[in-house]
Amino acid sequence: MHDIICPHCHKAFKVDEAGYADILKQVRDSEFDKQLHERLELAEQDKRNAIELARNQVAAELQKTAAAKDAEIQSLQAKLDAGEVQRKLAVTEALSAVEKERDTLVNELARAKQENQSASNLAEMRLNKELQEAAAKKDAAIQELKARLEANEVAKKLAVTEAVGAVELERDKLRSSLERAELEKQLAEKSLKDKYETQIKDRDDAIERLRDMKARLSTKMVGETLEQHCETEFNRIRSTAFPRAYFEKDNDARSGSKGDYIFKDMDESGTEIVSIMFEMKNESDTTATKKKNEDFLKELDKDRATKGCEYAVLVSLLEPDSELYNTGIVDVFHRYPKMYVVRPQFFLPIITILRNAAMNSLEYKSELALVKAQNVDITNFENELDSFKTAFARNYDLASRRFKTAIDEIDKSIDHLQKTKDALLGTDRNLRLANDKAQDVTIKKLTRRNPTMAAMFEDLDK
């Protein structure tokens, strides 16, 4: 397991080896171009530094060697100059000695001539002999000095030749090393250039293939490709990382809209740990009207609330050049609560992060579920009591309204009967008055003011 620090909340969460490897691979993929350019620049800089360092080293070595040889030549020249001085000094001393001896001999000869004229010949011969011997000695000394001088000259030339030969040999070695280093550098540059050109070509070919493939896909197929990718990635680790999780397409469109996928994870007791509403958005590179992530956030928040999910996540390939969305997991809490926008490579990490964060509140959820389970009878009793009260109130209201209706009908009937009674009483009174009037009728009253009828009744009486 590896610890990862969230750049937003600064909380540490653990990711298994598979998830960590996926994150590393995805980060490498997302920054391959940047690293490639950086490495090419570093390689070019290393090459320039290596050439400059080699040049400086060669120059320093040559300067050091030349200084040493100059010092040696100066030493040899000093020795040679000292030998020349010694030679000249020896010749001068020899000549001085000879001249001194010659002067002595001349003086002696003159004295001898003065002392004894007769010994002049012997003295002259003796002088000549000594002069010859002195001249021979002088010539031998001169020859010896010349031989020494020539030997010194030869030794000096030999030393200079050896020094120059050593310098030239060292120079040739350095030149050969420099040429070999330059050749190795060129080979390394060519190899590195070929390697990166091959990688760039392969990457360009892959990008071109993907572009061709995406250009051939319809908009629906492009979106379904991203959904299939996410579903495949989840199913690949479902059995090991999320054995009790639910991750299926959202097919409930009764509210007028629906998300793409719903993720829910439960613990062993069936208590919900976390729930996430997912929306996957992708589009072809050749699409004329480019969508933005902002265009889908409001509908996603509505789907999350409708389906009762705790979080909402938009997995998007839109706005591919956005530095904000390319950095990783982006929260949009300032617009909609508990909502994130991620690239596909962060699909599994965002599930892991939210699930691990929800594990901290699982204990409280479990305690809440336990309290609800313990109070279920009271809750049911209260619900049934409320239902009884509601039903009783409804029945009472219905009965009350019907009773009032019956009273009103009775009142109406009573009023109608009263009117009928009054009508009957009025009829009885009228009948009684009619009877009274009938009883009061006499022939005399009928024939009053009717002489014809009076005459007829009188005839009948007669």
Side-chain angles (χ1 to χ4, degrees):
M1 300 295 287
H2 296 271
D3 290 337
I4 296 180
I5 304 300
C6 178
H8 299 284
C9 63
H10 303 290
K11 289 186 178 180
F13 59 92
K14 295 188 177 294
V15 180
D16 57 11
E17 295 293 338
Y20 187 74
D22 287 341
I23 292 174
L24 291 180
K25 178 177 178 299
Q26 292 158 6
V27 171
R28 286 197 299 270
D29 290 341
S30 65
E31 296 187 354
F32 177 82
D33 290 335
K34 181 179 179 181
Q35 292 180 0
L36 178 60
H37 290 298
E38 290 179 354
R39 291 184 180 178
L40 285 174
E41 292 177 358
L42 289 175
E44 184 66 23
Q45 186 64 33
D46 291 340
K47 179 188 75 175
R48 291 195 295 266
N49 292 338
I51 294 173
E52 187 65 23
L53 180 61
R55 287 178 179 173
N56 293 335
Q57 289 178 349
V58 170
E61 291 294 334
L62 288 176
Q63 185 176 4
K64 183 178 179 180
T65 303
K69 297 306 177 183
D70 290 340
E72 186 176 358
I73 290 172
Q74 290 177 0
S75 177
L76 293 175
Q77 185 66 38
K79 290 180 180 180
L80 183 61
D81 293 340
E84 183 68 20
V85 171
Q86 290 177 357
R87 181 183 66 79
K88 290 181 179 180
L89 182 60
V91 171
T92 302
E93 289 178 352
L95 289 175
S96 177
V98 171
E99 289 176 353
K100 184 178 180 180
E101 186 176 359
R102 184 195 61 187
D103 293 339
T104 303
L105 292 175
V106 170
N107 293 328
E108 289 179 355
L109 181 59
R111 192 170 51 252
K113 284 181 178 180
Q114 292 176 0
E115 291 176 355
N116 192 356
Q117 187 65 37
S118 59
S120 60
N121 292 334
L122 180 61
E124 187 177 356
M125 291 176 60
R126 184 179 178 182
L127 178 60
N128 289 333
K129 182 179 180 181
E130 289 180 356
L131 286 174
Q132 289 177 357
E133 290 178 356
K137 289 180 180 180
K138 183 180 72 172
D139 292 337
I142 292 172
Q143 291 297 329
E144 182 178 359
L145 290 174
K146 287 182 177 181
R148 289 181 180 178
L149 182 61
E150 291 177 356
N152 289 334
E153 188 69 22
V154 171
K156 182 184 73 171
K157 290 181 179 180
L158 181 60
V160 172
T161 302
E162 290 178 354
V164 172
V167 171
E168 290 178 349
L169 180 61
E170 186 69 20
R171 181 198 63 194
D172 294 338
K173 287 182 179 180
L174 292 174
R175 182 178 296 170
S176 176
S177 299
L178 183 60
E179 291 176 353
R180 185 168 60 255
E182 184 68 22
L183 180 60
E184 291 177 354
K185 178 181 69 65
Q186 293 177 357
L187 292 175
E189 288 178 357
K190 187 176 184 302
S191 175
L192 186 63
K193 183 178 179 181
D194 293 341
K195 175 183 176 182
Y196 283 116
E197 285 180 351
T198 302
Q199 292 180 356
I200 293 173
K201 185 177 182 300
D202 294 340
R203 186 174 180 86
D204 291 341
D205 292 342
I207 293 173
E208 190 63 29
R209 286 195 302 271
L210 290 174
R211 285 178 177 173
D212 293 340
M213 181 186 71
K214 291 180 72 176
R216 291 192 297 269
L217 293 175
S218 66
T219 303
K220 183 174 183 297
M221 291 178 65
V222 168
E224 290 179 350
T225 301
L226 180 57
E227 292 179 8
Q228 292 171 2
H229 166 75
C230 294
E231 185 172 358
T232 301
E233 288 295 306
F234 181 82
N235 290 331
R236 187 169 56 83
I237 65 168
R238 178 197 291 268
S239 59
T240 56
F242 307 102
R244 290 181 293 275
Y246 167 89
F247 182 75
E248 301 294 339
K249 288 186 70 66
D250 179 16
N251 297 318
D252 185 4
R254 289 177 296 178
S255 62
S257 64
K258 62 184 183 67
D260 288 331
Y261 284 87
I262 294 178
F263 169 86
K264 291 186 178 181
D265 197 9
M266 309 289 181
D267 64 0
E268 296 178 354
S269 62
T271 303
E272 181 180 297
I273 299 175
V274 66
S275 59
I276 308 172
M277 170 65 70
F278 278 100
E279 182 79 14
M280 285 75 172
K281 288 299 176 183
N282 192 6
E283 66 183 1
S284 174
D285 292 336
T286 59
T287 304
T289 304
K290 299 295 184 181
K291 296 290 186 179
K292 293 185 177 181
N293 295 316
E294 180 72 20
D295 300 336
F296 303 96
L297 300 183
K298 182 178 180 180
E299 193 69 22
L300 177 58
D301 183 66
K302 176 184 175 183
D303 294 336
R304 177 192 70 82
T306 302
K307 302 303 168 58
C309 294
E310 184 177 1
Y311 293 95
V313 176
L314 175 63
V315 182
S316 171
L317 284 173
L318 306 180
E319 302 181 60
D321 298 329
S322 173
E323 295 184 1
L324 173 63
Y325 296 113
N326 290 336
T327 54
I329 298 173
V330 179
D331 69 78
V332 288
F333 291 3
H334 62 287
R335 297 296 307 279
Y336 301 98
K338 296 187 176 182
M339 183 178 293
Y340 296 89
V341 180
V342 300
R343 294 302 189 197
Q345 59 265 29
F346 296 101
F347 166 68
L348 291 178
I350 189 63
I351 295 178
T352 304
I353 291 171
L354 296 180
R355 181 181 180 274
N356 292 339
M359 290 295 291
N360 297 329
S361 61
L362 180 61
E363 181 179 354
Y364 302 105
K365 290 183 179 180
S366 299
E367 292 180 357
L368 180 61
L370 179 60
V371 171
K372 287 182 178 180
Q374 291 174 349
N375 297 332
V376 64
D377 293 337
I378 298 175
T379 303
N380 291 336
F381 177 77
E382 291 177 349
N383 293 335
E384 292 177 358
L385 181 60
D386 291 338
S387 300
F388 173 76
K389 289 180 178 179
T390 303
F392 183 83
R394 184 171 60 254
N395 293 333
Y396 173 80
D397 181 67
L398 181 61
S400 177
R401 283 189 280 111
R402 289 183 177 179
F403 182 79
K404 187 177 183 301
T405 302
I407 294 297
D408 292 339
E409 292 296 328
I410 291 173
D411 289 339
K412 290 180 180 178
S413 298
I414 292 172
D415 184 62
H416 180 69
L417 290 173
Q418 185 66 39
K419 289 180 179 180
T420 304
K421 178 184 175 182
D422 292 340
L424 290 174
L425 291 175
T427 302
D428 180 68
R429 186 173 60 255
N430 290 326
L431 288 173
R432 188 175 64 253
L433 292 174
N435 183 54
D436 291 341
K437 289 179 178 181
Q439 295 297 326
D440 193 43
V441 174
T442 62
I443 294 175
K444 185 178 180 180
K445 289 181 178 181
L446 289 175
T447 60
R448 187 184 299 172
R449 299 184 195 95
N450 192 344
T452 302
M453 291 301 297
M456 290 180 68
F457 276 106
E458 288 178 356
D459 291 338
L460 287 175
D461 289 340
K462 293 176 177 182

